[in-house]
Amino acid sequence: MERVMTVEERIRRAEEIYERRKRNEGLTVVQEKEDKKEKNEKKDIKLLKKMLIQLLVCICIYLVIYTVQNKQYIFSEDFINKINEIISYDIDFKKLYEDSRNFIMGKFSKENESQNENQENNEVNATETTETNNGIGGAVEESEQVEETQNLSQEEQDILNVKNTASFIKPVEGTISSIYGYRETATGTVPKDHTGTDIAAITGTKIKSATDGQVVLASEEGDYGKHIKVQIGEVSIIYAHCNSLYVKEGDMVTQGQEIAEVGSTGNSTGPHLHFEIRISERTVDPQKILEL
């Protein structure tokens, strides 16, 4: 006798059938999406193949046209000989492989060496920084340099500071007629304490600026006669007893620029250039700064 299902069993059976159908419908939708995606991919592949085929056809057509246009060259004896040379050339593929391998491995080894070197440099820099912070190394060297500078005389400090401020060239070609410092004079009008170096030259000889700088004074008054004062930082250069001046106050001059002519104006006994260098208005011996 067939068993009669209860209402609860019928409801449960109906729910199972509904869930099964629902899952099947979900799988169907997913399957449809995958089928559609696969069709699109196949379509894209077909388009790509078609495009490649068209490209190859175009290349072939171009090669045919090029061959026809250049047939005299392509089928010439020189061209055929070159082709034969290329074909007959014996290529050592094993050697080619070894060279390529060695080149690539060399690149990798260089990169590794560079990385190791950078790492070592970073470690050294870190050590130096630590030592400096602890008052060792750089700080000690710097203090030693300060002590050495302090041990120099004022003249030696001035000469060092002048050289550090600017580079100098010879302002005029001539003969030194009077050096810096104490000198014996033939007349009472010429001071014995000479503040510069006198370079004798013919009147009108061009005077070049020994450094870059700015003209802070261009005057015709006083014992210096016609003279120029060029300033660069705390250093000033005086060109005195000139015959004529080419620059005026406020002009910027460059090293080697012609700025005046040799003369004998002011308190002078003959044509020459009085070349004077000062730092903070203290004079220094020009011959200890540059070769005159």
Side-chain angles (χ1 to χ4, degrees):
M1 183 176 178
E2 185 178 355
R3 188 174 70 86
V4 178
M5 298 178 63
T6 64
V7 175
E8 293 178 356
E9 289 177 342
R10 290 179 180 177
I11 293 172
R12 187 169 56 253
R13 178 64 62 82
E15 288 177 351
E16 290 175 357
I17 294 171
Y18 175 75
E19 289 295 333
R20 194 181 303 119
R21 288 179 179 176
K22 188 176 180 181
R23 283 196 299 271
N24 291 336
E25 288 178 358
L27 292 173
T28 303
V29 172
V30 172
Q31 186 65 35
E32 288 178 354
K33 288 182 179 179
E34 290 179 354
D35 292 342
K36 187 175 181 181
K37 183 178 180 181
E38 187 177 353
K39 288 180 180 178
N40 289 334
E41 290 177 354
K42 289 181 179 179
K43 186 177 179 180
D44 292 339
I45 293 172
K46 287 182 179 179
L47 290 174
L48 180 61
K49 288 182 179 179
K50 186 176 180 182
M51 184 178 70
L52 291 175
I53 292 171
Q54 291 176 346
L55 181 62
L56 290 173
V57 171
C58 291
I59 293 173
C60 292
I61 293 172
Y62 173 77
L63 290 174
V64 170
I65 295 172
Y66 178 80
T67 303
V68 172
Q69 290 180 345
N70 298 274
K71 62 182 179 180
Q72 292 181 350
Y73 171 72
I74 291 176
F75 297 104
S76 65
E77 186 176 354
D78 292 337
F79 183 80
I80 293 173
N81 290 335
K82 288 180 181 179
I83 295 297
N84 290 332
E85 287 178 6
I86 295 171
I87 294 173
S88 62
Y89 183 74
D90 187 15
I91 300 175
D92 189 349
F93 289 100
K94 184 176 181 181
K95 185 176 182 301
L96 185 63
Y97 166 76
E98 291 294 335
D99 292 342
S100 302
R101 182 175 177 276
N102 292 334
F103 176 77
I104 294 171
M105 295 302 293
K107 284 288 185 182
F108 278 116
S109 63
K110 286 183 179 179
E111 289 181 359
N112 291 332
E113 289 176 2
S114 177
Q115 290 176 357
N116 293 334
E117 185 177 351
N118 291 335
Q119 186 175 358
E120 290 176 0
N121 290 336
N122 291 334
E123 291 175 356
V124 170
N125 292 333
T127 303
E128 290 178 352
T129 303
T130 304
E131 291 179 351
T132 301
N133 291 335
N134 292 331
I136 304 173
V140 172
E141 291 176 0
E142 194 171 322
S143 63
E144 288 177 354
Q145 290 176 358
V146 172
E147 288 179 3
E148 288 178 2
T149 304
Q150 290 175 348
N151 292 332
L152 296 176
S153 66
Q154 183 63 58
E155 180 188 15
E156 290 172 333
Q157 291 184 32
D158 288 343
I159 291 170
L160 181 62
N161 291 334
V162 169
K163 288 182 177 180
N164 289 335
T165 300
S167 63
F168 287 77
I169 63 171
K170 193 173 182 179
V172 70
E173 292 296 332
T175 303
I176 295 177
S177 57
S178 182
I179 61 173
Y180 174 87
Y182 182 81
R183 61 182 176 176
E184 294 291 341
T185 60
T187 64
T189 59
V190 177
K192 292 184 178 182
D193 186 14
H194 196 208
T195 56
T197 300
D198 290 346
I199 306 173
I202 299 171
T203 300
T205 303
K206 301 293 188 295
I207 300 170
K208 297 179 180 179
S209 178
T211 65
D212 297 336
Q214 183 177 19
V215 179
V216 295
L217 179 66
S219 174
E220 299 182 7
E221 300 178 358
D223 290 344
Y224 282 162
K226 293 182 180 180
H227 62 283
I228 298 168
K229 184 177 181 181
V230 175
Q231 192 79 24
I232 175 170
E234 295 183 354
V235 177
S236 55
I237 304 98
I238 295 174
Y239 308 83
H241 306 306
C242 300
N243 184 56
S244 60
L245 308 179
Y246 294 168
V247 293
K248 61 183 183 300
E249 188 174 328
D251 287 350
M252 298 297 297
V253 296
T254 57
Q255 190 178 65
Q257 178 182 338
E258 293 180 353
I259 57 176
E261 294 177 1
V262 171
S264 186
T265 58
N267 187 9
S268 172
T269 58
H272 70 280
L273 167 65
H274 173 84
F275 183 62
E276 184 175 317
I277 300 175
R278 299 180 181 181
I279 180 167
S280 300
E281 295 307 317
R282 292 187 300 273
T283 60
V284 296
D285 186 355
Q287 288 185 280
K288 292 183 179 179
I289 303 298
L290 73 159
E291 185 177 350
L292 296 173

Short mmCIF file of all heavy atoms in Angstrom, two decimals, residues 212-274:
data_model
loop_
_atom_site.label_atom_id
_atom_site.label_comp_id
_atom_site.label_asym_id
_atom_site.label_seq_id
_atom_site.Cartn_x
_atom_site.Cartn_y
_atom_site.Cartn_z
N ASP A 212 87.74 90.10 -11.95
CA ASP A 212 86.38 90.63 -12.11
C ASP A 212 86.12 91.60 -10.97
O ASP A 212 86.81 91.59 -9.95
CB ASP A 212 85.36 89.49 -12.05
CG ASP A 212 85.53 88.50 -13.19
OD1 ASP A 212 86.09 88.90 -14.23
OD2 ASP A 212 85.11 87.35 -13.04
N GLY A 213 85.10 92.43 -11.12
CA GLY A 213 84.75 93.32 -10.02
C GLY A 213 83.96 94.53 -10.49
O GLY A 213 83.56 94.63 -11.66
N GLN A 214 83.74 95.47 -9.57
CA GLN A 214 82.99 96.69 -9.87
C GLN A 214 83.89 97.90 -9.63
O GLN A 214 84.62 97.96 -8.63
CB GLN A 214 81.74 96.79 -9.00
CG GLN A 214 80.89 98.02 -9.33
CD GLN A 214 79.61 98.06 -8.51
OE1 GLN A 214 79.50 97.40 -7.48
NE2 GLN A 214 78.63 98.83 -8.96
N VAL A 215 83.82 98.84 -10.56
CA VAL A 215 84.58 100.08 -10.41
C VAL A 215 83.87 100.94 -9.36
O VAL A 215 82.76 101.42 -9.59
CB VAL A 215 84.68 100.84 -11.74
CG1 VAL A 215 85.46 102.15 -11.55
CG2 VAL A 215 85.35 99.98 -12.80
N VAL A 216 84.53 101.13 -8.22
CA VAL A 216 83.93 101.93 -7.14
C VAL A 216 84.52 103.35 -7.11
O VAL A 216 84.01 104.22 -6.41
CB VAL A 216 84.12 101.25 -5.77
CG1 VAL A 216 83.34 99.94 -5.73
CG2 VAL A 216 85.58 101.02 -5.45
N LEU A 217 85.59 103.55 -7.88
CA LEU A 217 86.20 104.88 -7.94
C LEU A 217 86.95 105.04 -9.26
O LEU A 217 87.71 104.15 -9.66
CB LEU A 217 87.18 105.07 -6.77
CG LEU A 217 87.91 106.42 -6.72
CD1 LEU A 217 86.91 107.55 -6.46
CD2 LEU A 217 89.00 106.41 -5.66
N ALA A 218 86.71 106.15 -9.93
CA ALA A 218 87.44 106.53 -11.13
C ALA A 218 87.72 108.02 -10.98
O ALA A 218 86.82 108.85 -11.15
CB ALA A 218 86.63 106.22 -12.39
N SER A 219 88.98 108.37 -10.66
CA SER A 219 89.28 109.75 -10.26
C SER A 219 90.56 110.23 -10.95
O SER A 219 91.36 109.44 -11.45
CB SER A 219 89.45 109.82 -8.74
OG SER A 219 89.88 111.10 -8.34
N GLU A 220 90.72 111.58 -10.97
CA GLU A 220 91.93 112.21 -11.51
C GLU A 220 92.62 113.04 -10.43
O GLU A 220 93.57 113.78 -10.74
CB GLU A 220 91.58 113.10 -12.70
CG GLU A 220 90.96 112.34 -13.86
CD GLU A 220 90.67 113.25 -15.05
OE1 GLU A 220 91.09 114.43 -15.00
OE2 GLU A 220 90.04 112.78 -16.02
N GLU A 221 92.18 112.95 -9.18
CA GLU A 221 92.69 113.79 -8.11
C GLU A 221 93.69 113.05 -7.24
O GLU A 221 93.66 111.82 -7.14
CB GLU A 221 91.52 114.28 -7.24
CG GLU A 221 90.49 115.10 -8.01
CD GLU A 221 89.33 115.53 -7.12
OE1 GLU A 221 89.33 115.14 -5.93
OE2 GLU A 221 88.43 116.22 -7.61
N GLY A 222 94.60 113.82 -6.59
CA GLY A 222 95.54 113.27 -5.61
C GLY A 222 96.83 112.79 -6.23
O GLY A 222 97.09 112.93 -7.43
N ASP A 223 97.69 112.20 -5.39
CA ASP A 223 99.01 111.73 -5.81
C ASP A 223 98.92 110.59 -6.83
O ASP A 223 99.87 110.34 -7.57
CB ASP A 223 99.81 111.27 -4.60
CG ASP A 223 100.23 112.43 -3.71
OD1 ASP A 223 100.16 113.59 -4.18
OD2 ASP A 223 100.61 112.18 -2.54
N TYR A 224 97.79 109.84 -6.83
CA TYR A 224 97.64 108.72 -7.77
C TYR A 224 97.34 109.19 -9.19
O TYR A 224 97.37 108.39 -10.12
CB TYR A 224 96.52 107.79 -7.31
CG TYR A 224 96.91 106.87 -6.17
CD1 TYR A 224 95.93 106.23 -5.41
CD2 TYR A 224 98.23 106.61 -5.87
CE1 TYR A 224 96.27 105.37 -4.37
CE2 TYR A 224 98.59 105.76 -4.83
CZ TYR A 224 97.60 105.14 -4.09
OH TYR A 224 97.96 104.30 -3.06
N GLY A 225 97.05 110.50 -9.36
CA GLY A 225 96.70 111.00 -10.68
C GLY A 225 95.43 110.33 -11.16
O GLY A 225 94.47 110.12 -10.41
N LYS A 226 95.38 109.99 -12.44
CA LYS A 226 94.22 109.27 -12.98
C LYS A 226 94.31 107.83 -12.51
O LYS A 226 95.26 107.10 -12.84
CB LYS A 226 94.20 109.32 -14.50
CG LYS A 226 93.96 110.72 -15.07
CD LYS A 226 93.90 110.70 -16.58
CE LYS A 226 93.65 112.11 -17.13
NZ LYS A 226 93.59 112.13 -18.60
N HIS A 227 93.31 107.41 -11.72
CA HIS A 227 93.37 106.07 -11.16
C HIS A 227 91.99 105.45 -11.03
O HIS A 227 90.97 106.15 -11.04
CB HIS A 227 94.08 106.07 -9.79
CG HIS A 227 93.38 106.88 -8.76
ND1 HIS A 227 93.43 108.26 -8.72
CD2 HIS A 227 92.61 106.50 -7.69
CE1 HIS A 227 92.73 108.71 -7.68
NE2 HIS A 227 92.23 107.65 -7.05
N ILE A 228 91.99 104.12 -10.92
CA ILE A 228 90.75 103.33 -10.84
C ILE A 228 90.85 102.42 -9.62
O ILE A 228 91.92 101.89 -9.31
CB ILE A 228 90.55 102.45 -12.09
CG1 ILE A 228 90.41 103.32 -13.35
CG2 ILE A 228 89.31 101.56 -11.94
CD1 ILE A 228 90.50 102.50 -14.62
N LYS A 229 89.72 102.26 -8.94
CA LYS A 229 89.65 101.31 -7.82
C LYS A 229 88.54 100.30 -8.13
O LYS A 229 87.38 100.67 -8.30
CB LYS A 229 89.35 102.05 -6.52
CG LYS A 229 89.36 101.15 -5.29
CD LYS A 229 89.13 101.98 -4.02
CE LYS A 229 89.17 101.13 -2.77
NZ LYS A 229 88.92 101.92 -1.54
N VAL A 230 88.92 99.04 -8.21
CA VAL A 230 87.98 97.96 -8.51
C VAL A 230 87.78 97.14 -7.25
O VAL A 230 88.75 96.75 -6.59
CB VAL A 230 88.49 97.06 -9.65
CG1 VAL A 230 87.55 95.87 -9.87
CG2 VAL A 230 88.62 97.87 -10.94
N GLN A 231 86.52 96.88 -6.90
CA GLN A 231 86.18 96.16 -5.66
C GLN A 231 85.60 94.79 -5.99
O GLN A 231 84.78 94.63 -6.90
CB GLN A 231 85.15 96.97 -4.85
CG GLN A 231 84.93 96.48 -3.44
CD GLN A 231 86.04 96.92 -2.49
OE1 GLN A 231 86.71 97.92 -2.74
NE2 GLN A 231 86.22 96.18 -1.42
N ILE A 232 86.04 93.77 -5.23
CA ILE A 232 85.45 92.43 -5.30
C ILE A 232 85.45 91.87 -3.88
O ILE A 232 86.48 91.51 -3.34
CB ILE A 232 86.21 91.51 -6.28
CG1 ILE A 232 85.64 90.09 -6.23
CG2 ILE A 232 87.70 91.53 -6.05
CD1 ILE A 232 86.15 89.18 -7.32
N GLY A 233 84.28 91.86 -3.25
CA GLY A 233 84.17 91.47 -1.85
C GLY A 233 84.89 92.47 -0.98
O GLY A 233 84.70 93.69 -1.11
N GLU A 234 85.76 92.00 -0.08
CA GLU A 234 86.54 92.89 0.77
C GLU A 234 87.87 93.29 0.11
O GLU A 234 88.63 94.07 0.68
CB GLU A 234 86.85 92.20 2.11
CG GLU A 234 85.60 91.93 2.96
CD GLU A 234 85.96 91.32 4.30
OE1 GLU A 234 87.16 91.02 4.50
OE2 GLU A 234 85.07 91.15 5.13
N VAL A 235 88.12 92.77 -1.08
CA VAL A 235 89.38 93.04 -1.78
C VAL A 235 89.18 94.18 -2.78
O VAL A 235 88.18 94.22 -3.51
CB VAL A 235 89.88 91.78 -2.52
CG1 VAL A 235 91.15 92.08 -3.32
CG2 VAL A 235 90.11 90.64 -1.54
N SER A 236 90.14 95.12 -2.78
CA SER A 236 90.11 96.22 -3.75
C SER A 236 91.45 96.29 -4.46
O SER A 236 92.50 96.02 -3.86
CB SER A 236 89.78 97.56 -3.07
OG SER A 236 90.68 97.81 -2.01
N ILE A 237 91.42 96.63 -5.76
CA ILE A 237 92.63 96.73 -6.58
C ILE A 237 92.68 98.14 -7.15
O ILE A 237 91.69 98.64 -7.70
CB ILE A 237 92.62 95.69 -7.71
CG1 ILE A 237 92.45 94.27 -7.14
CG2 ILE A 237 93.90 95.78 -8.53
CD1 ILE A 237 91.07 93.73 -7.19
N ILE A 238 93.85 98.79 -7.01
CA ILE A 238 94.02 100.16 -7.48
C ILE A 238 95.00 100.16 -8.66
O ILE A 238 96.07 99.54 -8.59
CB ILE A 238 94.55 101.07 -6.36
CG1 ILE A 238 93.49 101.17 -5.24
CG2 ILE A 238 94.89 102.47 -6.88
CD1 ILE A 238 93.95 101.91 -4.02
N TYR A 239 94.61 100.85 -9.75
CA TYR A 239 95.44 101.05 -10.92
C TYR A 239 95.69 102.55 -11.01
O TYR A 239 94.76 103.32 -11.32
CB TYR A 239 94.73 100.54 -12.18
CG TYR A 239 94.22 99.11 -12.07
CD1 TYR A 239 92.99 98.82 -11.46
CD2 TYR A 239 94.94 98.04 -12.60
CE1 TYR A 239 92.52 97.53 -11.38
CE2 TYR A 239 94.47 96.74 -12.52
CZ TYR A 239 93.26 96.49 -11.90
OH TYR A 239 92.78 95.19 -11.81
N ALA A 240 96.94 102.98 -10.75
CA ALA A 240 97.20 104.41 -10.59
C ALA A 240 98.20 104.94 -11.62
O ALA A 240 98.92 104.16 -12.27
CB ALA A 240 97.69 104.70 -9.18
N HIS A 241 98.26 106.32 -11.70
CA HIS A 241 99.14 107.07 -12.60
C HIS A 241 98.82 106.80 -14.07
O HIS A 241 99.72 106.81 -14.93
CB HIS A 241 100.62 106.76 -12.32
CG HIS A 241 101.02 106.95 -10.90
ND1 HIS A 241 100.80 108.14 -10.22
CD2 HIS A 241 101.62 106.11 -10.00
CE1 HIS A 241 101.26 108.03 -8.98
NE2 HIS A 241 101.74 106.79 -8.81
N CYS A 242 97.55 106.53 -14.38
CA CYS A 242 97.16 106.19 -15.74
C CYS A 242 97.18 107.43 -16.65
O CYS A 242 97.00 108.57 -16.20
CB CYS A 242 95.76 105.58 -15.75
SG CYS A 242 95.63 104.08 -14.75
N ASN A 243 97.34 107.16 -17.93
CA ASN A 243 97.30 108.23 -18.93
C ASN A 243 95.85 108.57 -19.28
O ASN A 243 95.50 109.74 -19.45
CB ASN A 243 98.06 107.81 -20.18
CG ASN A 243 98.14 108.91 -21.22
OD1 ASN A 243 98.60 110.01 -20.94
ND2 ASN A 243 97.65 108.62 -22.42
N SER A 244 94.99 107.53 -19.39
CA SER A 244 93.56 107.72 -19.63
C SER A 244 92.81 106.53 -19.07
O SER A 244 93.36 105.43 -18.94
CB SER A 244 93.26 107.88 -21.13
OG SER A 244 93.67 106.72 -21.84
N LEU A 245 91.52 106.76 -18.75
CA LEU A 245 90.68 105.72 -18.16
C LEU A 245 89.60 105.32 -19.16
O LEU A 245 89.00 106.17 -19.82
CB LEU A 245 90.02 106.24 -16.88
CG LEU A 245 90.95 106.85 -15.82
CD1 LEU A 245 90.16 107.32 -14.62
CD2 LEU A 245 92.02 105.85 -15.39
N TYR A 246 89.34 104.00 -19.27
CA TYR A 246 88.32 103.50 -20.20
C TYR A 246 87.00 103.20 -19.50
O TYR A 246 86.00 102.93 -20.18
CB TYR A 246 88.81 102.20 -20.86
CG TYR A 246 90.01 102.37 -21.76
CD1 TYR A 246 90.71 101.25 -22.23
CD2 TYR A 246 90.44 103.62 -22.16
CE1 TYR A 246 91.81 101.38 -23.06
CE2 TYR A 246 91.55 103.77 -23.00
CZ TYR A 246 92.22 102.65 -23.44
OH TYR A 246 93.31 102.79 -24.27
N VAL A 247 86.96 103.20 -18.19
CA VAL A 247 85.75 102.85 -17.46
C VAL A 247 85.41 103.98 -16.49
O VAL A 247 86.24 104.85 -16.20
CB VAL A 247 85.91 101.52 -16.68
CG1 VAL A 247 86.04 100.35 -17.64
CG2 VAL A 247 87.12 101.58 -15.75
N LYS A 248 84.19 103.93 -15.99
CA LYS A 248 83.75 104.95 -15.04
C LYS A 248 83.18 104.29 -13.80
O LYS A 248 82.94 103.07 -13.78
CB LYS A 248 82.69 105.85 -15.69
CG LYS A 248 81.43 105.13 -16.13
CD LYS A 248 80.49 106.09 -16.83
CE LYS A 248 79.17 105.42 -17.22
NZ LYS A 248 79.36 104.28 -18.13
N GLU A 249 82.97 105.09 -12.79
CA GLU A 249 82.47 104.58 -11.52
C GLU A 249 81.11 103.91 -11.70
O GLU A 249 80.23 104.44 -12.37
CB GLU A 249 82.35 105.74 -10.53
CG GLU A 249 82.01 105.30 -9.11
CD GLU A 249 82.06 106.46 -8.12
OE1 GLU A 249 82.87 107.39 -8.33
OE2 GLU A 249 81.28 106.43 -7.16
N GLY A 250 80.97 102.71 -11.12
CA GLY A 250 79.73 101.95 -11.23
C GLY A 250 79.78 100.85 -12.28
O GLY A 250 78.92 99.96 -12.29
N ASP A 251 80.78 100.89 -13.19
CA ASP A 251 80.88 99.87 -14.23
C ASP A 251 81.31 98.53 -13.63
O ASP A 251 82.08 98.49 -12.66
CB ASP A 251 81.90 100.28 -15.30
CG ASP A 251 81.39 101.40 -16.19
OD1 ASP A 251 80.19 101.71 -16.10
OD2 ASP A 251 82.19 101.97 -16.96
N MET A 252 80.81 97.45 -14.23
CA MET A 252 81.27 96.11 -13.88
C MET A 252 82.33 95.71 -14.90
O MET A 252 82.13 95.88 -16.11
CB MET A 252 80.11 95.10 -13.92
CG MET A 252 78.99 95.39 -12.93
SD MET A 252 79.53 95.32 -11.20
CE MET A 252 80.01 93.60 -11.07
N VAL A 253 83.47 95.22 -14.43
CA VAL A 253 84.56 94.82 -15.32
C VAL A 253 84.81 93.33 -15.17
O VAL A 253 84.53 92.73 -14.13
CB VAL A 253 85.85 95.61 -15.03
CG1 VAL A 253 85.64 97.09 -15.31
CG2 VAL A 253 86.31 95.40 -13.59
N THR A 254 85.34 92.74 -16.23
CA THR A 254 85.66 91.32 -16.21
C THR A 254 87.17 91.15 -16.34
O THR A 254 87.88 92.03 -16.85
CB THR A 254 84.97 90.58 -17.37
OG1 THR A 254 85.36 91.19 -18.61
CG2 THR A 254 83.47 90.63 -17.22
N GLN A 255 87.65 90.04 -15.87
CA GLN A 255 89.09 89.76 -15.89
C GLN A 255 89.59 89.78 -17.34
O GLN A 255 89.03 89.14 -18.22
CB GLN A 255 89.37 88.39 -15.27
CG GLN A 255 90.83 88.11 -15.03
CD GLN A 255 91.04 86.77 -14.35
OE1 GLN A 255 90.74 85.72 -14.94
NE2 GLN A 255 91.54 86.79 -13.12
N GLY A 256 90.66 90.57 -17.59
CA GLY A 256 91.23 90.68 -18.92
C GLY A 256 90.69 91.84 -19.73
O GLY A 256 91.20 92.14 -20.81
N GLN A 257 89.65 92.51 -19.23
CA GLN A 257 89.08 93.66 -19.94
C GLN A 257 90.04 94.85 -19.87
O GLN A 257 90.62 95.15 -18.82
CB GLN A 257 87.73 94.04 -19.31
CG GLN A 257 87.06 95.25 -19.95
CD GLN A 257 85.75 95.61 -19.26
OE1 GLN A 257 85.14 94.76 -18.59
NE2 GLN A 257 85.31 96.83 -19.42
N GLU A 258 90.21 95.56 -21.01
CA GLU A 258 91.06 96.75 -21.02
C GLU A 258 90.32 97.89 -20.32
O GLU A 258 89.20 98.24 -20.69
CB GLU A 258 91.39 97.14 -22.46
CG GLU A 258 92.28 96.11 -23.16
CD GLU A 258 92.62 96.49 -24.59
OE1 GLU A 258 92.05 97.50 -25.08
OE2 GLU A 258 93.44 95.81 -25.22
N ILE A 259 90.98 98.46 -19.28
CA ILE A 259 90.30 99.45 -18.45
C ILE A 259 91.01 100.81 -18.44
O ILE A 259 90.43 101.81 -18.04
CB ILE A 259 90.15 98.94 -17.00
CG1 ILE A 259 91.53 98.60 -16.40
CG2 ILE A 259 89.21 97.75 -16.94
CD1 ILE A 259 91.47 98.19 -14.93
N ALA A 260 92.30 100.86 -18.87
CA ALA A 260 93.03 102.12 -18.82
C ALA A 260 94.31 102.01 -19.65
O ALA A 260 94.59 100.96 -20.25
CB ALA A 260 93.36 102.50 -17.38
N GLU A 261 95.08 103.14 -19.69
CA GLU A 261 96.39 103.17 -20.35
C GLU A 261 97.46 103.58 -19.37
O GLU A 261 97.22 104.38 -18.45
CB GLU A 261 96.38 104.17 -21.52
CG GLU A 261 95.47 103.79 -22.66
CD GLU A 261 95.47 104.87 -23.74
OE1 GLU A 261 96.20 105.88 -23.59
OE2 GLU A 261 94.74 104.70 -24.73
N VAL A 262 98.66 103.04 -19.56
CA VAL A 262 99.80 103.43 -18.72
C VAL A 262 100.12 104.90 -18.96
O VAL A 262 100.10 105.39 -20.09
CB VAL A 262 101.02 102.55 -19.05
CG1 VAL A 262 102.27 103.09 -18.35
CG2 VAL A 262 100.77 101.10 -18.64
N GLY A 263 100.44 105.63 -17.87
CA GLY A 263 100.79 107.04 -17.97
C GLY A 263 101.74 107.45 -16.85
O GLY A 263 102.36 106.60 -16.20
N SER A 264 101.81 108.74 -16.63
CA SER A 264 102.68 109.28 -15.57
C SER A 264 102.01 110.46 -14.89
O SER A 264 102.64 111.48 -14.60
CB SER A 264 104.03 109.69 -16.17
OG SER A 264 104.94 110.09 -15.16
N THR A 265 100.69 110.30 -14.61
CA THR A 265 99.94 111.37 -13.97
C THR A 265 100.09 111.30 -12.47
O THR A 265 100.43 110.25 -11.91
CB THR A 265 98.45 111.29 -14.36
OG1 THR A 265 97.94 110.01 -13.97
CG2 THR A 265 98.25 111.45 -15.87
N GLY A 266 99.83 112.42 -11.80
CA GLY A 266 99.94 112.46 -10.35
C GLY A 266 101.39 112.54 -9.90
O GLY A 266 102.26 113.06 -10.61
N ASN A 267 101.70 112.03 -8.71
CA ASN A 267 103.06 112.07 -8.15
C ASN A 267 103.86 110.92 -8.75
O ASN A 267 103.97 109.84 -8.18
CB ASN A 267 102.99 111.96 -6.63
CG ASN A 267 104.35 112.15 -5.97
OD1 ASN A 267 105.32 112.54 -6.64
ND2 ASN A 267 104.42 111.89 -4.68
N SER A 268 104.41 111.13 -9.94
CA SER A 268 105.09 110.09 -10.69
C SER A 268 106.37 110.64 -11.30
O SER A 268 106.44 111.81 -11.68
CB SER A 268 104.17 109.53 -11.78
OG SER A 268 104.85 108.65 -12.64
N THR A 269 107.38 109.77 -11.42
CA THR A 269 108.66 110.19 -12.02
C THR A 269 108.85 109.61 -13.42
O THR A 269 109.89 109.81 -14.04
CB THR A 269 109.82 109.72 -11.13
OG1 THR A 269 109.76 108.30 -10.98
CG2 THR A 269 109.76 110.40 -9.77
N GLY A 270 107.85 108.87 -13.94
CA GLY A 270 107.94 108.28 -15.27
C GLY A 270 106.75 107.40 -15.55
O GLY A 270 105.98 107.04 -14.64
N PRO A 271 106.54 107.03 -16.82
CA PRO A 271 105.37 106.21 -17.17
C PRO A 271 105.45 104.82 -16.54
O PRO A 271 106.43 104.10 -16.73
CB PRO A 271 105.43 106.14 -18.69
CG PRO A 271 106.85 106.42 -19.04
CD PRO A 271 107.37 107.34 -18.01
N HIS A 272 104.45 104.48 -15.78
CA HIS A 272 104.36 103.16 -15.16
C HIS A 272 102.95 102.96 -14.61
O HIS A 272 102.17 103.91 -14.50
CB HIS A 272 105.39 103.02 -14.03
CG HIS A 272 105.07 103.85 -12.83
ND1 HIS A 272 105.33 105.20 -12.75
CD2 HIS A 272 104.49 103.52 -11.63
CE1 HIS A 272 104.95 105.68 -11.57
NE2 HIS A 272 104.43 104.66 -10.87
N LEU A 273 102.66 101.73 -14.24
CA LEU A 273 101.39 101.40 -13.56
C LEU A 273 101.71 101.12 -12.09
O LEU A 273 102.52 100.25 -11.78
CB LEU A 273 100.73 100.17 -14.17
CG LEU A 273 99.57 99.56 -13.35
CD1 LEU A 273 98.39 100.52 -13.25
CD2 LEU A 273 99.12 98.22 -13.94
N HIS A 274 101.07 101.87 -11.21
CA HIS A 274 101.12 101.55 -9.77
C HIS A 274 99.98 100.57 -9.50
O HIS A 274 98.80 100.92 -9.55
CB HIS A 274 100.95 102.82 -8.94
CG HIS A 274 100.84 102.55 -7.47
ND1 HIS A 274 101.94 102.37 -6.65
CD2 HIS A 274 99.74 102.41 -6.66
CE1 HIS A 274 101.52 102.14 -5.41
NE2 HIS A 274 100.19 102.15 -5.41
#
